[in-house]
Structure formats: C-alpha cells, structure tokens
Amino acid sequence: MSQPIYNRVALIGLGLIASSMFWAIKRSGLAGEVTGYARSAQTRDKAREIGLCDRVCDSAVEAVEGADLVVLCVPIGAMGPVMQEIAGSLMPGATVSDVGSVKRHVIDVVQPLIPEGVHFVPAHPLAGTEHSGPESGFAELYDNRWCLLVPVEGSDPDAVARLRALWEGMGSNVDEMEADHHDLVLAVTSHTPHLIAYTMVGVADDLRRVTDSEVIKYSAAGFRDFTRIAASDPTMWRDVFLTNKEATLEILGRFTEELFALQRAIRTGDGEHLHEYFTHTRAIRRGIIEAGQDTDAPDFGRGQASSSTGGQDK
Ligand code: NAP
C-alpha cells in the first residue's frame, strides 16, 4: 500500500474509466476517500450495490465538496456542462483533471470555467475496452498502459507532479504531451482505426443480408477484431469525431490515398508492391509487441474476460 496522494478524489461519471480508476486507487491506497457521481439514478444505485466509490453522491456539487482532486470521466460533449455545474463548489487549491480522448476541445471548453486558485491538468489514459458502464471497470486496466498528461499554460508543476504520481500509482507509464499533437497522434493510433472498423462492420452487415448470415457464422479473425472495436460506446465515439474533426479528416485523407494505391496494385497485379507494403506493416506490429503494448498471443487475448490487451486507445 502506498501513502495516499490525495485526501479526497471525486469521480464525475461512473463508467469504464472512472470505475477502473476507483479499483486501481483502492488497490494501492492512493486516496483517503473516493466520492462519485453519475447522471442517472440507475447508475448511482448500481455503483452503491457493487461498492464502487466510498460514497456515491446524488449531485456533482456534493461529490466535489472538499475534494482535492476532481476527475471528469464523462463523454467529451458533457465536459463543459458538468464543469459549469461544479465550478462554484470546488475547494481552493484543488486540481481538476479529465480523461477525455480528445484534448484541445476539452481544454477550450473547461479551462475558461476553472476558478482562480484551482489547478487544471488535463489527462488521457490510453487504455480501454469495448465495454462501458459502472460494472465494466477493473483495477488492472491501467497497468503498463500509457497515460498522457496535457498540462495547459500556467499549469502548476506541483499539481502536475501529484497527478503523475496518482497515475503511476494506478500502474500507468506517464508522459506529457501538447494538446494539438496529442489529438493528431490519437487520430492515427485510435480515432481513424475506430472509424475504419465501424465502416468495415457496416459493409459486412450489408453483405450479410445477401449471404444469409455467413459473415457471422464464418467470422474470421480480421473481421471479429473489427466487430470488437466497433462495439465501443456510440456516445463516446460520436463525441470523439465531432471534437477531433480536423486531425481525423487529415488522417482519413492519407488513409484513402494509401487505399487507392493498394487497390491499384491489386488491379495491376503488382505483387511486389503488396509484398513490400505488408513487410513494412508487419515490422510495425513487431515494434508494438516489443514496446510491451500488446501480446503476440494467437487469439489476440480473446480468452481473457476483460482484455486490457484489447487496449484500444482510446
Ligand atoms: P462510459 O462507461 O460510457 O461512462 C460514462 C459515464 O458518464 C456514465 O457514468 C454516465 O452516466 C456519465 N455521464 C454521461 N453524460 C453525463 C452528463 N451529461 N452528466 C453527468 N454524467 C454523465 O464512458 P467511459 O468509457 O468511462 O468514458 C468516459 C470518458 O473517458 C470519455 O470522455 C472518453 O472519451 C474517455 N476515455 C474512454 C476510453 C474507453 O476506452 N472507453 C479510454 C480513454 C478515455 P450514466 O450512466 O448515468 O448515463
């Protein structure tokens, strides 16, 4: 057990990310108390039933009272309204952070609402599964996964260091990154791949009507992996694309060009081009495994109930 880093942590939103934070905080004794709030009574009741949070509150204002760390764990589109609600109730000296998958937008909507004397340190854990809700979290989600801190101009170094210690205590490796760069990197590593998975599953679904469910019945590895990614939370992903528009469109443009080049190679029978391309991409996969960000288990870790090797970005 570690020394508590915060006296009271308030988690606003009680889904996959917040519930995993709670279990990871408890695992290592990183906070004196953890309070929680979610919008629906149903989620709050479920949280109470499963012992998620030391205290589940019926309002966000009540949850943040006396908290020295408040973490916004709601969909990106809800960050601004939630911040508006709690701004007047934050303790002087407290830190507000978030876990949103897009950083520039969250900074633009949240930072102007941060009161004098309160610190703001945005963050993004690069860990997730396709599951959501209060029951989906587990303490190991952040183990050996990256968490990116995205300090804003004037972020207090002590507040940043304390938040870093919390994420390290929850098992993460921590790096700092600038907001626009973060959004571009994530457009490549997570956002565009998700869009491609959504599209591929949509195409297969169209075909399924023609092939009488053979797509599902004979579902092979490539397609099954797409369906797992495409099962991710629709609200979260709608918000990601609405708020990381430019970077995603930029990467999609490049993707389309590469796709056309491969299409051309297939049409013209340019096996050399295809072989060279696939050799290069195979090396990238090896690099990811060597960096410890996935395993080379033949089943892609599908045997595990809550696969953190499914570590989508997010
Ligand atoms: P989730 O499992 O769907 O949970 C979202 C939570 O936010 C729920 O408790 C929901 O409450 C609450 N909520 C939604 N709208 C709200 C509002 N207007 N006011 C108050 N509470 C509201 O989502 P998640 O996967 O934990 O994602 C949360 C955040 O983490 C998102 O910003 C996402 O971009 C980011 N993130 C996600 C992943 C991932 O893989 N899932 C990875 C990294 C970062 P109810 O249950 O009552 O509706």
Side-chain angles (χ1 to χ4, degrees), residues 14-17 39-40 43 73-75 78 99 101 125 127-128 132-133 236 314:
L14 293 174
L16 169 72
I17 296 300
R39 154 184 74 164
S40 68
T43 298
C73 306
V74 296
V99 293
S101 306
S132 48
M236 170 185 158
K314 279 317 209 110

Side-chain angles (χ1 to χ4, degrees), residues 102-109 111 178-180 182-183 243:
V102 175
K103 298 299 2 145
R104 173 56 62 201
H105 175 85
V106 172
I107 291 170
D108 286 350
V109 297
Q111 195 175 14
E178 188 275 328
D180 294 319
H182 166 279
D183 290 354
T243 58

Side-chain angles (χ1 to χ4, degrees), residues 262-284:
L262 290 177
Q263 198 176 341
R264 191 184 153 81
I266 293 170
R267 186 181 305 110
T268 59
D270 187 351
E272 204 178 317
H273 178 85
L274 294 174
H275 193 269
E276 222 170 78
Y277 200 92
F278 302 154
T279 304
H280 177 63
T281 53
R282 188 179 224 191
I284 294 175

Side-chain angles (χ1 to χ4, degrees), residues 184-201:
L184 183 62
V185 169
L186 267 291
V188 178
T189 58
S190 167
H191 304 167
T192 309
H194 271 77
L195 198 69
I196 294 164
Y198 280 123
T199 317
M200 193 56 226
V201 175

Side-chain angles (χ1 to χ4, degrees), residues 10-209:
L11 302 173
I12 309 299
L14 293 174
L16 169 72
I17 296 300
S19 55
S20 298
M21 286 183 74
F22 173 73
W23 299 119
I25 287 172
K26 283 289 142 183
R27 178 180 67 177
S28 303
L30 303 171
E33 188 194 25
V34 180
T35 59
Y37 167 75
R39 154 184 74 164
S40 68
Q42 195 188 356
T43 298
R44 297 196 296 271
D45 287 347
K46 178 52 77 179
R48 288 181 183 115
E49 186 191 317
I50 62 174
L52 172 61
C53 293
D54 299 314
R55 196 155 49 86
V56 176
C57 304
D58 285 323
S59 75
V61 164
E62 190 190 335
V64 305
E65 269 165 14
D68 42 6
L69 176 68
V70 174
V71 189
L72 308 179
C73 306
V74 296
I76 297 164
M79 297 275 182
V82 166
M83 186 58 210
Q84 198 127 34
E85 207 177 316
I86 61 173
S89 309
L90 295 166
M91 194 172 76
T95 295
V96 172
S97 186
D98 77 294
V99 293
S101 306
V102 175
K103 298 299 2 145
R104 173 56 62 201
H105 175 85
V106 172
I107 291 170
D108 286 350
V109 297
V110 170
Q111 195 175 14
L113 301 169
I114 299 283
E116 191 69 39
V118 170
H119 309 295
F120 179 40
V121 187
H124 179 201
L126 306 191
T129 73
E130 68 278 27
H131 303 295
S132 48
E135 291 174 286
S136 57
F138 52 103
E140 299 78 21
L141 179 66
Y142 305 115
D143 286 349
N144 202 30
R145 300 277 149 207
W146 285 102
C147 178
L148 299 175
L149 300 186
V150 184
V152 292
E153 216 182 293
S155 276
D156 177 55
D158 289 343
V160 176
R162 219 166 147 200
L163 189 66
R164 172 186 277 269
L166 180 78
W167 278 104
E168 286 175 348
M170 289 192 288
S172 286
N173 306 316
V174 179
D175 243 347
E176 289 186 24
M177 205 179 261
E178 188 275 328
D180 294 319
H181 188 65
H182 166 279
D183 290 354
L184 183 62
V185 169
L186 267 291
V188 178
T189 58
S190 167
H191 304 167
T192 309
H194 271 77
L195 198 69
I196 294 164
Y198 280 123
T199 317
M200 193 56 226
V201 175
V203 168
D205 189 48
D206 283 346
L207 277 178
R208 187 162 63 98
R209 286 179 210 122

